[in-house]
């Protein structure tokens, strides 16, 4: 976060607030701890508070992230997940399987072009 706030990187963190409380968020980093270092940058730490799930917060944040990265000329972007069905709703496509650092099983890599 410090690198983003000081202008050292275009990759940043995106939050959804309910008053002063963070109820959702995600970041963009170079690599989300997997073996495909050539697939960058990566959306990471996608999270919505349990009480706020199902309200479209994560989907809106994903759209904001994609639009922000595109406005900076950064495309495509990637994300690693074990979920299926959710990210496809927001224009993400399955790309390949990747090996997470220290993880026994492969994970799904998605791309947004």
């Amino acid at each position: 976060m410090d690198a983003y706030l000081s202008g050292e990187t275009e990759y940043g963190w995106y939050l959804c607030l309910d008053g002063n409380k963070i109820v959702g968020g995600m970041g963009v980093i170079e690599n989300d701890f997997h073996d495909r270092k050539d697939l960058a940058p990566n959306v990471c730490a996608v999270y919505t508070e349990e009480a706020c799930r199902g309200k479209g917060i994560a989907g809106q944040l994903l759209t904001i992230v994609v639009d922000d990265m595109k406005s900076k000329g950064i495309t495509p972007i990637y994300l690693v997940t074990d979920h299926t069905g959710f990210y496809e709703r927001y224009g993400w496509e399955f790309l390949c399987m990747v090996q997470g650092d220290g993880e026994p099983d492969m994970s799904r890599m998605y791309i947004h072009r």
Side-chain angles (χ1 to χ4, degrees):
M1 285 187 207
D2 289 337
Y4 178 72
L5 293 173
S6 66
E8 296 172 31
T9 182
E10 295 293 326
Y11 306 155
W13 293 87
Y14 303 81
L15 304 174
C16 178
L17 301 174
D18 182 7
N20 291 329
K21 182 180 178 190
I22 298 171
V23 296
M26 62 189 65
V28 178
I29 59 175
E30 187 68 25
N31 180 276
D32 196 13
F33 309 104
H34 56 78
D35 63 343
R36 291 295 307 269
K37 307 301 184 204
D38 59 313
L39 301 178
N42 294 190
V43 170
C44 68
V46 176
Y47 182 77
T48 303
E49 288 288 338
E50 191 170 341
C52 298
R53 293 179 186 165
K55 298 179 180 179
I57 292 170
Q60 289 178 346
L61 285 172
L62 284 167
T63 299
I64 290 167
V65 168
V66 167
D67 291 347
D68 189 43
M69 291 294 106
K70 282 184 179 179
S71 76
K72 297 172 181 178
I74 301 169
T75 188
I77 58 176
Y78 305 89
L79 66 82
V80 176
T81 185
D82 292 325
H83 297 286
T84 58
F86 177 75
Y87 294 99
E88 291 89 342
R89 288 185 238 161
Y90 301 99
W92 293 83
E93 304 168 37
F94 172 74
L95 180 65
C96 63
M97 299 300 286
V98 296
Q99 184 67 54
D101 297 349
E103 297 291 327
D105 299 320
M106 302 284 278
S107 296
R108 300 173 64 82
M109 170 68 75
Y110 282 80
I111 185 172
H112 199 289
R113 302 174 201 271

